[in-house]
């Protein structure tokens, strides 16, 4: 590190939403004012309109807004009747909330290994995990890259299993012409600010094409009530508010632009990192990657990390410790090496800055620093 970093004294943030906020500010402020003046703050007209618009975009019959992506998973599992004694096969290479939701409904997560190329759950490994207690498969469209839903749906059909898609990172992703969240019993989305479609607080959504599941979800998100003060089960307080729904409606209008901008950033990285001793993210097979994250594999990941930190280039180790080896799951008895693909991946992956307003110059600066390692 002999050269001064005169090219980009500011570094490059991992994620910056300030520019987007300035562009949306006036319209959002007006919508907030309208919601305030109307006196409808929770599950009001903006929430209902957003649910209809999101269902149409995703290509599902219904959408039910909830308080977070984690709640979307928990409520979906409950709505499908999954609970104590049941096993749910999922991926160990994801944000903890995926498996946590399974634990929170009293079921047991069973971890399959992942595909080295897509980082997504490996259908062959899923099949080897099926027992007579298995009730569902919970794939994640990791980093915005759709999982192999064609094979997973075939396996689920053969064994009479449900599928819940964790599409928290994949709003706008596609597999075989179908949008993430529309290819299973329930699609679960998070609107945490860092996601492809993010709000400025917490929020989540479930998509489903089953009328029965929809009815159960509406009940579960509102304290198990079928009508005011009449409760048929213990549910949750998991509702979206008008302020977040109003913002989500504004952002949904140009979601195609946001996904296209992310894909443009990803293609700059692909081009500028080609020829280096590292592996760029696999493109979606038969589909569209939404690039919530741009995650590379590098043989000297820790050295790369140090180099980027030294230039104030934001980065993240998604994910440093696979879920089957987390302390919370010690009692499940997994050991390092049990799932060899994911165990190796965790030492190699690093996520680079990506968001719609990232410029070509910023990407070039990041790639220049990556090339030094
Ligand atoms: C963000 C995320 C969640 C949880 O969403 P929250 O809205 O933060 O509760 C679940 N699964 C995955 C894969 C995520 O990335």
């Amino acid at each position: 590190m002999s050269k001064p970093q005169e090219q980009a004294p500011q570094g490059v943030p991992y994620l910056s939403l300030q520019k987007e906020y300035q562009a949306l500010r006036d319209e959002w402020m007006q919508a907030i004012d309208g919601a305030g003046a109307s006196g409808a703050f929770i599950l009001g007209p903006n929430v209902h309109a957003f649910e209809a618009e999101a269902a149409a975009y995703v290509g599902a019959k219904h959408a039910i807004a909830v308080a977070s992506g984690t709640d979307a998973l928990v409520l979906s599992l409950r709505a499908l009747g999954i609970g104590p004694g049941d096993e749910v096969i999922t991926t160990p290479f994801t944000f903890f909330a995926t498996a946590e939701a399974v634990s929170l409904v009293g079921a047991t997560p069973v971890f399959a290994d992942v595909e080295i190329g897509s980082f997504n759950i490996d259908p062959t490994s899923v099949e080897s995990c099926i027992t007579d207690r298995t009730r569902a498969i919970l794939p994640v469209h990791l980093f915005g890259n759709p999982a192999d839903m064609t094979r997973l749906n075939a396996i689920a059909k053969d064994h009479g299993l449900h599928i819940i898609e964790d599409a928290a990172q994949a709003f706008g992703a596609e597999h075989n012409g179908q949008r993430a969240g529309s290819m299973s019993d329930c699609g679960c989305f998070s609107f945490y600010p860092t996601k492809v479609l993010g709000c400025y607080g917490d929020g989540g959504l479930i998509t489903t094409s089953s009328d029965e599941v929809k009815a159960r979800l509406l009940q579960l998100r509102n304290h198990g009530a079928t009508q005011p003060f009449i409760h048929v089960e213990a549910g949750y307080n998991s509702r979206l508010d008008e302020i977040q729904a109003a913002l989500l409606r504004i952002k949904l209008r140009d979601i195609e632009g946001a996904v296209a901008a992310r894909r443009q950033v990803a293609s700059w990285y692909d081009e500028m990192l080609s020829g280096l001793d590292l592996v760029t993210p696999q493109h979606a097979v038969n589909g569209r990657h939404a690039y919530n994250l741009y995650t590379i594999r590098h043989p000297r990941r820790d050295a790369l990390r140090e180099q980027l930190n030294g230039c104030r280039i934001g980065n993240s180790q998604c994910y440093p410790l696979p879920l089957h080896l987390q302390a919370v799951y010690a009692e499940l008895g997994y050991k390092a090496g049990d799932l060899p693909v994911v165990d190796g991946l965790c030492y190699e992956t690093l996520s680079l800055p990506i968001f719609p307003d990232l410029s070509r110059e910023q990407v070039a600066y990041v790639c220049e620093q990556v090339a030094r390692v």
Side-chain angles (χ1 to χ4, degrees):
M1 290 242 317
S2 50
K3 275 198 193 168
Q5 284 133 30
E6 69 280 1
Q7 303 99 320
Q10 309 305 322
V12 178
Y14 185 58
L15 171 72
S16 165
L17 297 170
Q18 278 98 330
K19 206 168 155 191
E20 173 200 278
Y21 175 72
Q22 288 309 329
L24 305 177
R25 183 182 179 280
D26 288 353
E27 201 180 347
W28 190 41
M29 289 299 145
Q30 269 182 20
I32 293 173
D33 198 30
S38 80
F41 297 106
I42 298 265
L43 298 181
N46 277 302
V47 171
H48 296 124
F50 174 65
E51 288 175 332
E53 290 156 6
Y57 177 82
V58 168
K61 190 167 171 196
H62 308 292
I64 297 92
V66 293
S68 70
T70 306
D71 280 6
L73 292 162
V74 168
L75 270 66
S76 295
L77 289 159
R78 285 274 312 265
L80 295 172
I82 293 162
D86 296 335
E87 293 178 353
V88 176
I89 300 171
T90 191
T91 166
F93 197 53
T94 176
F95 181 60
F96 176 54
T98 311
E100 184 184 32
V102 175
S103 301
L104 286 173
V105 303
T108 305
V110 173
F111 296 104
D113 209 344
V114 303
E115 299 171 335
I116 187 82
S118 69
F119 304 147
N120 282 321
I121 197 166
D122 181 345
T124 305
S125 180
V126 167
E127 273 192 299
S128 72
C129 293
I130 295 174
T131 71
D132 49 14
R133 294 184 150 196
T134 307
R135 294 288 314 283
I137 307 170
L138 174 40
V140 178
H141 304 307
L142 198 72
F143 306 145
N145 195 12
D148 187 349
M149 294 304 295
T150 306
R151 280 188 68 198
L152 292 170
N153 273 320
I155 293 168
K157 201 168 166 221
D158 278 355
H159 294 86
L161 306 175
H162 291 297
I163 296 198
I164 296 168
E165 285 164 84
D166 183 339
Q169 304 180 357
F171 203 94
E174 295 172 4
H175 172 76
N176 270 339
Q178 285 184 286
R179 294 242 161 92
S182 71
M183 297 174 273
S184 62
D185 295 282
C186 292
C188 299
F189 294 94
S190 163
F191 303 128
Y192 188 74
T194 61
K195 312 289 178 168
V196 177
L197 178 61
C199 59
Y200 296 158
D202 273 307
L205 185 84
I206 303 151
T207 48
T208 182
S209 291
S210 157
D211 298 343
E212 259 172 57
V213 170
K214 176 207 176 183
R216 184 84 193 282
L217 288 169
L218 291 178
Q219 190 172 295
L220 283 167
R221 82 169 166 187
N222 202 13
H223 301 288
T226 49
Q227 49 182 294
F229 309 116
I230 304 300
H231 305 270
V232 297
E233 65 179 325
Y236 305 84
N237 168 355
S238 185
R239 301 171 300 221
L240 190 67
D241 67 70
E242 284 289 290
I243 290 176
Q244 300 306 335
L247 175 71
L248 287 163
R249 292 186 71 196
I250 295 167
K251 288 183 68 169
L252 182 59
R253 284 198 320 245
D254 190 32
I255 188 68
E256 283 299 294
V259 172
R262 285 178 178 276
R263 290 176 54 78
Q264 174 66 75
V265 171
S267 77
W268 289 330
Y269 273 125
D270 286 351
E271 171 199 324
M272 295 181 204
L273 293 175
S274 74
L276 298 180
D277 181 22
L278 55 82
V279 183
T280 55
Q282 189 181 82
H283 292 178
V285 178
N286 248 330
R288 180 167 80 159
H289 196 319
Y291 290 104
N292 192 2
L293 298 183
Y294 187 92
T295 304
I296 62 171
R297 286 167 51 211
H298 195 286
R300 296 176 59 227
R301 192 267 315 275
D302 295 340
L304 174 61
R305 211 166 180 221
E306 245 172 70
Q307 170 73 11
L308 298 184
N309 289 342
C311 313
R312 279 177 299 141
I313 293 173
N315 61 84
S316 174
Q317 251 176 297
C318 295
Y319 295 92
L321 185 62
L323 300 188
H324 64 296
L325 301 180
Q326 298 276 350
V328 56
Y329 290 133
E331 65 188 30
L332 297 180
Y334 290 96
K335 301 178 307 298
D338 284 350
L339 303 174
V341 178
V342 71
D343 287 351
L345 261 187
C346 289
Y347 295 99
E348 292 185 344
T349 48
L350 194 70
S351 302
L352 302 178
I354 190 166
F355 51 93
D357 289 315
L358 197 64
S359 71
R360 195 175 205 279
E361 290 65 41
Q362 286 174 303
V363 172
Y365 178 65
V366 174
C367 294
E368 205 178 293
Q369 298 307 324
V370 172
R372 291 190 180 193
V373 179

